[in-house]
Amino acid sequence: MTETLESLFEPIRARIAAATDEDELRKIERETLDKGGTVAALLAAIPSLPGPKRPLAGKRANELKNAIGAALAEARERLARLAMERERTGAGFDPTLPGARISRGGLHPLVAVTRELEDLFTSMGYVVLDGPEIETDYHNFEALNIPRDHPARDMQDTFRLDLEGKLVLRTHTSAVQARGLKRLADEIRAGRFAPPFRAIVPGKVFRQETTDASHEHTFHQMEGLVVGKDVSVGHLIGAMKTLLRGVFGREIEIRLRPGYFPFVEPGFELDARCPFCKEGCSVCKRSTWIELLPCGLVHPNVLQECGIDPEHWSGFAFGLGLSRLVMLRYGIDDVRLLLSGDLRFLEQF
Ligand code: DAH
C-alpha cells in the first residue's frame, strides 16, 4: 500500500507541473482530491486493511493528499505569475491578427424605402405624420365617410378589439388623415397655420386576411394628403409623377382609371407604365401597366366632418402600398418574407 502511494504521486506531480491553465489543474484536482477521486478512494480503503498496517497507510494517504494540494497551490501561483508577466510585457499578443468580426446590421428594405420616400416628400414640403396602430372605429371608418353598416366596410376585413366595436387594428393609414385634418382645422381656427398642408403617413396596417404570397395580415402603407386652395386632379397627377421619378429615377407614364373609395370623390386607380419592360413581363402580367395606387380628391364629407370648410378648401389623397412597392423595387415575390425575420432573406439587402 505504501509503495502504491509513492508511485501514485509521481505522475500526478508531473501532470501538475506540466499544466498550462486552470482548467487542467481543476481537472486533476477533480480526479484526485474531490469526492470520488483516487485519494479519497484510498482513504476510504484504510479501514479494511489489517490492523497494524492502518496507521502508516493512513499517514501516507494524508501525506499524498497534502502533497497534491501543495503542488496544485504552487502551480496556480505559477500560472498567475505568468499571466501577470505576459500582461506586463505584452507577450503573446499579436497586433497583426485581424480582430473579431462584428456583424453589422442593415436597413430592412421597408425601412430603406420608407426613408427614401420621406426624404423625397419632405423635400417637397410634406410633413411626416404618425398615428396609433390601435385605432378607433371613428377615425378608421366613420370620419372617412364610411358609416356603420356601409357596404364599403366589407372592402377591408377588420380585426376588432372589443365587443362594442369601438377599437380596431387600423386597416389603412387613411385613419391618420382624419387625425391630421382635425389638427389642421384646430390650427387654422387658431390662426397658427394656413394651408397648403401636405403630409405623408408611412405605417403598419392590419387586415384579417388568409395569407398567401400576395396577402399578409400585417403590411405597410404610405398615405398622402394635401389640402389647399383649389387643389385639383392636376396637382395629384403632378405629385404622383414626382413620386415615380423619385422611386424609379426617370419619367414614368401614368394613367387614371375610375375607382371607388368612400373618402374621395372622384376616386381613381393610378396605373404606372411598367418600369421593367416595354412589351409586357411577369410583373405587369403582360399588360405593360402596373396598378400602383388608389387616390382621389378628398371627399367634402370628410373635410366637413374634420372641421375644414369644403367651400374654402379642397385636397387630394393617395394610399401607396409600401409593401407592394418594396416588392416591385427588389423583385420580391412573396409578401410574407417581408416580416418573416428570416436572416437568409434579410441579409440580401
Ligand atoms: N385606404 C385605402 C385602402 O387601404 C387606400 C386609399 C384609397 C387611400 C384612396 C387613399 C385614397 O388616400 O385616396 O384600401
Side-chain angles (χ1 to χ4, degrees):
M1 174 91 183
T2 50
E3 254 163 59
T4 327
L5 293 178
E6 308 287 352
S7 54
L8 268 177
F9 182 55
E10 182 42 36
I12 295 170
R13 194 201 55 76
R15 273 180 74 197
I16 291 173
T20 55
D21 63 29
E22 169 59 25
D23 282 353
E24 267 178 81
L25 293 179
R26 185 59 203 127
K27 185 163 177 264
I28 299 168
E29 190 170 34
R30 250 194 328 271
E31 289 169 11
T32 55
L33 302 186
D34 279 11
K35 206 163 157 212
T38 43
V39 176
L42 282 175
L43 285 166
I46 288 170
S48 59
L49 288 176
K53 289 203 164 176
R54 282 183 212 162
L56 186 61
K59 190 164 168 265
R60 285 288 156 83
N62 272 313
E63 277 169 14
L64 176 62
K65 183 173 141 192
N66 294 337
I68 295 176
L72 282 170
E74 196 189 297
R76 287 196 165 109
E77 223 170 279
R78 173 173 55 82
L79 287 183
R81 258 200 319 275
L82 216 68
M84 247 159 40
E85 189 62 14
R86 274 219 197 90
E87 190 130 317
R88 200 176 58 77
T89 59
F93 174 70
D94 181 353
T96 65
L97 282 178
R101 201 177 270 278
I102 298 171
S103 70
R104 293 250 241 76
L107 288 185
H108 190 286
L110 270 166
V111 174
V113 171
T114 302
R115 289 197 184 171
E116 225 173 87
L117 291 175
E118 285 179 359
D119 281 351
L120 179 73
F121 278 101
T122 50
S123 79
M124 297 193 285
Y126 284 67
V127 293
V128 181
L129 293 187
D130 198 5
E133 289 170 0
I134 293 177
E135 188 49 284
T136 58
D137 182 275
Y138 173 77
H139 289 106
N140 197 82
F141 293 119
E142 241 162 285
L144 296 176
N145 202 27
I146 318 175
R148 247 160 235 273
D149 306 323
H150 193 287
R153 290 205 176 199
D154 291 346
M155 289 161 80
Q156 303 180 348
D157 296 309
T158 309
F159 285 116
R160 301 209 158 263
L161 298 180
D162 60 351
L163 289 175
E164 304 93 82
K166 288 209 176 97
L167 287 178
V168 301
L169 288 183
R170 69 175 177 199
T171 56
H172 50 184
T173 44
S174 305
V176 187
Q177 263 194 48
R179 291 177 176 274
L181 286 172
K182 277 172 184 280
R183 260 298 277 291
L184 175 64
D186 289 345
E187 298 292 305
I188 294 175
R189 256 196 306 276
R192 282 192 296 261
F193 184 85
F197 170 71
R198 309 175 184 91
I200 50 165
V201 188
K204 215 181 256 177
V205 300
F206 310 86
R207 306 262 174 105
Q208 190 158 6
E209 299 267 11
T210 306
T211 58
D212 62 30
S214 45
H215 295 88
E216 178 59 299
H217 49 69
T218 302
F219 55 102
H220 288 72
Q221 289 186 333
M222 194 182 77
E223 192 76 10
L225 173 68
V226 170
V227 175
K229 262 234 138 3
D230 301 323
V231 172
S232 69
V233 175
H235 293 112
L236 170 63
I237 292 175
M240 296 302 95
K241 290 198 118 179
T242 311
L243 162 71
L244 285 168
R245 219 181 299 126
V247 172
F248 294 103
R250 63 192 156 86
E251 206 62 39
I252 294 205
E253 193 188 347
I254 59 170
R255 71 177 184 191
L256 292 178
R257 287 177 292 120
Y260 173 71
F261 304 95
F263 34 93
V264 282
E265 180 58 37
F268 307 104
E269 291 284 359
L270 185 142
D271 297 341
R273 197 55 105 170
C274 181
F276 306 108
C277 70
K278 284 217 158 56
E279 51 281 314
C281 66
S282 62
V283 177
C284 60
K285 302 197 187 83
R286 320 252 150 245
S287 73
T288 76
W289 291 101
I290 46 177
E291 217 178 288
L292 190 72
L293 53 79
C295 53
L297 296 187
V298 182
H299 198 293
N301 287 357
V302 174
L303 293 174
Q304 188 86 54
E305 174 63 30
C306 296
I308 292 178
D309 184 357
E311 298 291 332
H312 272 85
W313 308 109
S314 53
F316 69 75
F318 58 89
L320 179 69
L322 259 186
S323 300
R324 215 174 89 79
L325 186 70
V326 168
M327 290 170 72
L328 273 177
R329 167 82 166 268
Y330 296 105
I332 299 165
D333 58 6
D334 192 328
V335 64
R336 292 168 296 188
L337 286 168
L338 285 178
L339 299 181
S340 65
D342 189 332
L343 287 179
R344 291 167 305 179
F345 167 71
L346 292 173
E347 279 168 353
Q348 297 174 47
F349 299 95

